[in-house]
């Protein structure tokens, strides 16, 4: 039997084994699974079918009245291309983040996190959201100055969102996010204040329809930065959850919005825009360039 005093001395002088695995030494990869990839393919098909339907609807009306149809079809066309790129593995990059973890009795450790960022989504939004704004602006009858401010603010919102997705942890990421939110407030002001006033100045039906579809759009657009905050921002939800959340919003904000707009606006005479001139007929004979003809005074 071992002497108790000797056992105490042995315990006091012994050194515990050094762990062979350092916490945080294995990088964490946050990427989409089969669920996320299948979701991307489903949305691609929905965008493609919607685009075909919108182009078919455009051909059923005179070219002078195709403005809303063309804009709406372009929205889902660009979205379909974006979702095809993401579903096939293009338009995706990994954002590397290093998280430092402090410990009381052992040295601090770091954790490398690599999260997929679907930058093709931001390319899509930078094209489709201005087109969608133009749909709403033409419906309301906004002035050119208001449209320009809304579109520029919208592009700033998308670009700063992209910079935030690849930004460093802390001030840089959330600084860009704050800029995007401020730009979004400008968009809201243009649509909710100027847009509503112009739409209501037409007639009651146009004003009511604009309030409904505009309110629907602003509610959806407000959810986008919330998803960004819990996905790319804080990484609270996984990449699959991010894909599904954006997919639902994109389907509602583009195909559903488009069908609602096109099926309704034709019945509103005050919101039906008819464009002649260059839009419908191109350059007229008087406005075309003459090559090889002498001037009368020559």
């Amino acid at each position: 039997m071992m002497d108790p005093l000797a056992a105490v001395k042995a315990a006091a002088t012994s050194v515990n084994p050094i762990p062979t695995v350092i916490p945080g030494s294995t990088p964490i990869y946050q990427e989409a699974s089969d669920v996320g990839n299948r979701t991307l393919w489903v949305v691609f098909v929905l965008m493609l079918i919607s685009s075909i339907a919108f182009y078919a609807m455009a051909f059923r009306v005179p070219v002078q009245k195709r403005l809303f149809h063309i804009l709406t079809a372009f929205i889902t066309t660009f979205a379909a291309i974006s979702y095809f790129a993401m579903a096939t593995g293009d338009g995706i990059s990994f954002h590397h983040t290093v998280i430092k973890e402090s410990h009381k009795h052992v040295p601090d450790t770091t954790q490398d996190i690599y999260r997929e960022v679907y930058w093709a989504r931001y390319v899509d939004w930078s094209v489709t959201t201005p087109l969608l704004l133009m749909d709403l602006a033409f419906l309301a009858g906004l002035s050119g100055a208001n449209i320009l401010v809304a579109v520029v603010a919208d592009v700033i919102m998308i670009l700063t969102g992209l910079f935030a997705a690849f930004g460093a942890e802390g001030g840089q990421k959330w600084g860009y996010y704050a800029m995007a939110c401020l730009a979004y407030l400008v968009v809201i002001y243009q649509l909710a204040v100027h847009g509503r006033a112009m739409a209501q100045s037409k007639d009651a039906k146009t004003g009511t329809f604009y309030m409904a579809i505009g309110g629907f759009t602003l509610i959806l657009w407000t959810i986008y930065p919330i998803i960004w905050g819990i996905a790319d921002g804080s990484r609270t939800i996984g990449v699959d959850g991010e894909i599904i959340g954006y997919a639902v919003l994109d389907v509602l904000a583009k195909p559903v919005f488009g069908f609602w707009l096109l099926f309704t606006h034709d019945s509103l005479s005050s919101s039906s825009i008819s464009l002649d001139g260059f839009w419908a007929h191109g350059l007229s004979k008087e406005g075309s360039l003459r090559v090889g003809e002498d001037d009368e005074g020559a």
Side-chain angles (χ1 to χ4, degrees), residues 43-209:
V43 179
F44 161 70
V45 172
L46 291 176
M47 294 295 181
L48 181 62
I49 294 174
S50 299
S51 300
I52 296 172
F54 294 149
Y55 286 120
M57 293 172 68
F59 282 109
R60 297 180 61 183
V61 299
V63 66
Q64 293 90 340
K65 296 185 177 182
R66 291 179 184 173
L67 177 61
F68 286 107
H69 300 78
I70 296 301
L71 289 176
T72 306
F74 284 168
I75 291 171
T76 52
T77 299
F78 282 112
I81 295 172
S82 170
Y83 270 93
F84 179 81
M86 294 185 289
T88 56
D90 286 335
I92 307 171
S93 297
F94 279 95
H95 177 224
H96 178 209
T97 303
V98 179
I99 304 297
K100 184 177 181 180
E101 299 176 352
S102 300
H103 308 281
K104 292 183 178 180
H105 305 294
V106 295
D108 294 343
T109 59
T110 58
Q111 178 65 66
D112 293 284
I113 299 176
Y114 294 86
R115 184 183 177 95
E116 283 184 329
V117 175
Y118 288 79
W119 56 263
R121 192 187 309 280
Y122 295 88
V123 176
D124 165 17
W125 290 339
S126 67
V127 178
T128 58
T129 53
L131 293 175
L132 198 150
L133 283 178
M134 292 175 68
D135 265 339
L136 292 174
F138 290 140
L139 175 65
L142 273 177
S143 67
N146 293 129
I147 295 174
L148 179 61
V149 171
V151 169
V152 170
D154 175 72
V155 173
I156 292 174
M157 176 183 67
I158 301 302
L159 292 180
T160 50
L162 174 61
F163 298 155
F166 285 102
E169 289 296 311
Q172 186 185 60
K173 171 187 286 188
W174 296 107
Y176 281 130
Y177 180 77
M179 294 178 196
C181 292
L182 289 175
Y184 178 50
L185 292 178
V186 176
V187 175
I188 292 177
Y189 179 78
Q190 295 298 324
L191 295 180
V193 178
H194 295 295
R196 183 180 65 175
M198 293 299 297
Q200 290 180 339
S201 67
K202 291 184 175 182
D203 59 73
K205 289 185 177 180
T206 301
T208 302
F209 175 52

Side-chain angles (χ1 to χ4, degrees), residues 28-32 94 113-117 231 235 237-239:
I28 297 176
Y29 287 88
Q30 299 179 348
E31 50 192 338
F94 279 95
I113 299 176
Y114 294 86
R115 184 183 177 95
E116 283 184 329
V117 175
R235 297 182 299 277
I237 63 174
V239 177

